[in-house]
Amino acid sequence: MLRVGNASGFYGDRQAAFREMVAGGPLDVLTGDYLAELTMLILARDRLKDPGLGYARTFVRQLEESLGLALERGVRIVVNAGGLNPARLAEVVGETAGKLGLGVKVGHVVGDDLLGRAEELGLPPGLLAANAYLGAFGIAECLRGGAQVVVTGRVTDAALVAGPAIAHFDWGPADLDALAGAVVAGHVLECGAQATGGNFAFFAEHDVRRPGFPIAELYADGSSVITKHPGTGGAVTAETVTAQLLYETGPARYAGPDVTARLDTVRLKQQGPDRVRISGVRGEAPPPTLKVGLNRLGGWRNEVTFVLTGLEIEAKAALVREQLTAALDPAPAEVKWTLARTDHADAATEQTASALLHLAVRDTDQRLVGKALSAAVVELGLASYPGFHLAGLPGPGTPYGVFEAAHVPATEVAHTAVLPDGSTRAIAPAPQCREPAEAEQPPLPEELAAGPTRRAPLGLVAGARSGDKGGDANLGVWARSEPGWRWLAHTLTVERLKELLPEIAELKVSRQLLPNLRAVNFTVTGLLGRGVAAQERFDPQAKALGEWLRARPVELPEAVLAADPEPLDDEEEARP
C-alpha cells in the first residue's frame, strides 16, 4: 500500500498545509497542485519580468517549514510548482535545503514547454505560454532515480499521484486499469480540501471550518481508499468524493496522456468514518495527442459598479447607460452592462435597498478602457441619477489573458526526466493509442412511480458541484437516494436544465449519465467565453453554477423528499 497525500489544490492554498500533512500522520508521498489555467498566465507574466521566475514561489516557503521533517520521516514530495521554470525551481529547492543544513536529492521533469516551437507545431502566434500536459511516467523515473523531491512543470493534475504509484508498484504503460484507478484517485486529491468537505453542497452536515487535506491509500490493482489524517476537520464521505469526481470532468471517457479512465466504471463504498473505497475503474489506451494549454494577452479591461438605491431602479440604470454610451466615443470594442437586482422593497437598511449596475469594458487599446472610462464616470458625479455613487472608482485598466486548448502529437513532445545525479531519461509516448469515442449512454433506471409532488428547491434532494474548463462550464449533479436517482435521471434532461438556467438556453449542452454515482454530468459549451483570465462573466469559473441550479424550485416527488440519504451500491460489476 502507498499513502499519498495532497497539501495544495491551487496557487495560494493554505500555507500551513505542507507542515500539517507531514506532521499529522504517516505518509509515503506528499503532493501539491499549483497550476490552474489562470496560474499559467500569472507565471508567464512573472517570467516576462524576470526570466529566473515562472514558478510557484509559495512552495519554497512551504518547503522551508516542512522539508526537514519530511526527510526525517521518509516522505517524498512531488509538486507541479515548477510551472514554466521547473529547472530553476529544482535549483532553488537545493539552495533552500542547503540554507537549512539539509541534503536533498531533487529530480525534475521538463519537455512540456512548447513556446519556442509554436510556429513549427502550428500553434497560433503571440503566445505567452504553450505547455503540453505531460503524463506520470517522468515523475516515476525521477522517484526510481532516488529523488526525494520531484518538481514538474505542466503535467496532468492526476499525474502527481499516478507517478508515485507507477514507481512504487512498477506499473508499465500496459497496466491500463491500474493506471486508470490511480488517475481517478489523483483527480479526487488534486483539489485538496474539496475532497474533504470544502465547497460541499451539504456543508452544514459537517464541521468544515478548517477541513483537513485528503490522502489516498493506493493498492497494486489501482484501487484506493480516500481518507484524511485523524483529528483534522471536514469529512470524507461517498458524497464528498462524488462531488470531486464530478468536478471539471465531462464525458465518461476521461482522456489523459497515459490512459483514458472510464468514469462510468467507478464504484464507491463508505468503509467507515472518513474512509471511502474507490474500485472497479477500467482503463483504455490514451489518445495519440497531448493537450496543450495556450495563454496569451487578450487586451485591456476595466470595470465599474454603480449603486442604484430606492425607487425607479430600471429608469436610473437606463439613464446612466445612455449617458456613458454617449460619453465613450470612440467606444471600447466590448461593452457589457449587468443589472443585479439586489434591492428589496421597504428595506430596513440603505444597502438592502440598493441594486448594482455593473459595467465591464475591453479593448486592445488601454486608453479606451482606462482614462477615457474613468473620466467619463467621474464627470457624472453631479449630473446623473439621484443618489449617484459608486462601489469603487475605475482604475487605469488592467491586462487580461485568454486561455485556449490545442492538441499536438505526443511524439512531438520531448517528455524528459532529469534525475538527481543530472542524468536524463527520455519518456516515450504511450505505445498503444486510441482516439476516445463517445461512450454509449447507459440505460435509464426504472422511472419513479407517479405520486404527489411539492414545489421546492432541487437542492433539498440533490447535490451539485461546478467549475470551468477553458471557456466551458462543467456541472455535476448527484442524487442522495435511490428514489432520487430514479427521478433525477428522467427529469434533469438537457432541455430541463436550460429551462432552469435560462442563461444557458442558447448554448450547446451535453449530458453524461453516471449510474454508479447516481449522477448526471453536464458540459455547457462557451458559457465562460474566453476563460477565467478574460473575466467575461459574473462568476468567471462557474463555481456557483451548481448552487444556482440547486436553489431553483421544481416539482419534487414526496417519495424523494421523504427518502433518507443512502449508501451507493458497491456491486462488483458496474451497472450498465
Side-chain angles (χ1 to χ4, degrees), residues 150-233:
V150 180
V151 170
T152 79
R154 180 74 276 183
V155 296
T156 64
D157 300 340
L160 300 174
V161 172
I166 291 168
H168 183 79
F169 296 115
D170 199 27
W171 294 336
D175 294 310
L176 294 175
D177 289 346
L179 289 169
V183 164
V184 168
H187 182 71
V188 173
L189 261 60
E190 71 186 46
C191 290
Q194 278 201 159
T196 59
N199 301 351
F200 180 54
F202 303 103
F203 68 96
E205 297 178 2
H206 307 285
D207 181 359
V208 295
R209 290 171 294 179
R210 189 178 175 85
F213 277 69
I215 297 167
E217 298 174 353
L218 288 150
Y219 296 88
D221 63 352
S223 64
S224 61
V225 172
I226 306 300
T227 184
K228 62 186 183 71
H229 281 323
T232 57

Side-chain angles (χ1 to χ4, degrees), residues 37 133 157 187 190 247-249 254 291 403 467-474 523 528 531 541:
E37 293 167 359
Y133 286 68
D157 300 340
H187 182 71
E190 71 186 46
Y247 182 65
E248 294 183 350
T249 59
Y254 187 58
K291 178 182 174 181
F403 174 87
D468 64 314
K469 275 294 182 184
D472 301 339
N474 147 250
T523 300
L528 306 179
Q541 291 180 281

